[in-house]
Amino acid sequence: MEEILKKAAETGTQFGLKLIFAVAVLVIGIKLSKWIAKIIVKSRSLSGLDEGVRKFIGKSVKIALYVLIIISAAGILGIPYASFVAVLGSAGVAIGLALQGSLSNIAAGILILVNKPFKVGDYIAAGDIEGTVSEIGFFATKIITIDNKLVSYPNAALSNTSVTDYTALGTRRIDLVFSTSYDSDIDTVKNILVNVASADEYVLSEPKPEAHLSNHADSALEFKIMVWCKSSDYWTVRYNMLENVKKAFDKEKIEIPYPKLDVSVQQIKSEK
């Protein structure tokens, strides 16, 4: 009995030491994995890549290191590597079947990073979502809307929809339509629109602003003004134009028509 207890104590001590060593490997290994992933992401060799690609590579390296650390810890505990790898493989197949949608998101995320229809920092529109891309992750792309909402858009859905990148070319054209009465002088209105646009510091001088009479509406002349600006200044220029054109029209006594209804009253005399 004493020998059995002694052997059990020795076995327990050995296993305890192995367990402590395995836990130490896990803790230290996880911290080292995070540190190595950060170094790789910030390395000069990846400095020329898009931010989204660098983050994706960093996460992939971190996951691969985690798997190696878990296998190493299992080996320390005496679990055969071959058996453990086989278990991981079987678990991977089962998880893969259960998470087919998630895997399609990962594949779509890789395609987005490779094809680069947009990158982190771009202002895009996809479906009914519009905003700035803040992160291209494994499963979803995070978009910050103009009213500061964070939207997680699944990569698979994003790769299967039409995406408009407003930032890619650096500049945008703004088209605005203003209505005036038929009594307005056409050349005067066009000059006012061009002068207002030219006076805005955020409007580009090249291509030059253009104003044209675009339509004879039922109760108004419609003028179209086209101005160019940097993509980042789009909303500033748009709001400036709407406000400053109204002020200029008021100053020059240019009438902005609004719907009117003429009512005529006819008196019918009754016969006696």
Side-chain angles (χ1 to χ4, degrees), residues 11 70 119 193 204 213 223 243:
T11 304
I70 292 172
K119 61 182 184 298
L193 294 175
L204 299 177
L213 176 62
F223 292 85
E243 180 177 337

Side-chain angles (χ1 to χ4, degrees), residues 52-268:
V53 177
R54 285 188 279 115
K55 286 183 178 179
F56 196 91
I57 292 174
K59 289 181 180 179
S60 300
V61 169
K62 192 187 298 183
I63 291 173
L65 290 174
Y66 283 175
V67 172
L68 290 176
I69 291 166
I70 292 172
I71 293 174
S72 300
I76 293 171
L77 292 174
I79 301 173
Y81 288 113
S83 301
F84 193 74
V85 170
V87 171
L88 283 179
S90 301
V93 172
I95 293 171
L97 292 173
L99 301 176
Q100 291 182 15
S102 298
L103 292 176
S104 66
N105 283 325
I106 293 175
I110 294 173
L111 288 176
I112 289 173
L113 291 171
V114 172
N115 295 327
K116 295 181 180 179
F118 55 83
K119 61 182 184 298
V120 173
D122 283 1
Y123 188 91
I124 67 170
D128 57 349
I129 302 298
E130 189 172 323
T132 303
V133 178
S134 63
E135 181 184 346
I136 302 173
F138 278 112
F139 303 105
T141 294
K142 294 182 179 179
I143 301 173
I144 301 176
T145 62
I146 195 171
D147 55 348
N148 206 34
K149 294 177 183 176
L150 181 60
V151 178
S152 293
Y153 207 126
N155 288 332
L158 190 59
S159 64
N160 289 324
T161 190
S162 177
V163 177
T164 302
D165 190 340
Y166 293 107
T167 308
L169 301 180
T171 58
R172 291 183 65 180
R173 194 181 80 181
I174 304 175
D175 295 351
L176 294 171
V177 176
F178 296 94
S179 300
T180 69
S181 69
Y182 271 95
D183 295 332
S184 302
D185 182 73
I186 294 175
D187 291 330
T188 300
V189 174
K190 288 167 60 178
N191 288 334
I192 290 173
L193 294 175
V194 171
N195 291 337
V196 168
S198 300
D200 193 324
E201 61 178 326
Y202 295 103
V203 173
L204 299 177
S205 56
E206 290 293 336
K208 295 180 179 179
E210 294 183 20
H212 302 279
L213 176 62
S214 61
N215 188 32
H216 290 186
D218 291 338
S219 58
L221 294 175
E222 293 183 351
F223 292 85
K224 186 175 184 179
I225 175 73
M226 296 170 286
V227 298
W228 290 84
C229 66
K230 294 180 180 178
S231 299
S232 57
D233 296 331
Y234 177 85
W235 293 106
T236 300
V237 172
R238 183 178 180 86
Y239 294 144
N240 285 351
M241 288 294 298
L242 291 172
E243 180 177 337
N244 294 332
V245 167
K246 175 62 169 66
K247 290 178 179 179
F249 279 0
D250 290 344
K251 185 177 180 181
E252 298 297 328
K253 308 299 182 184
I254 301 295
E255 181 186 354
I256 300 177
Y258 51 88
K260 298 178 181 179
L261 179 63
D262 293 329
V263 179
S264 60
V265 179
Q266 184 177 5
Q267 185 176 5
I268 302 176

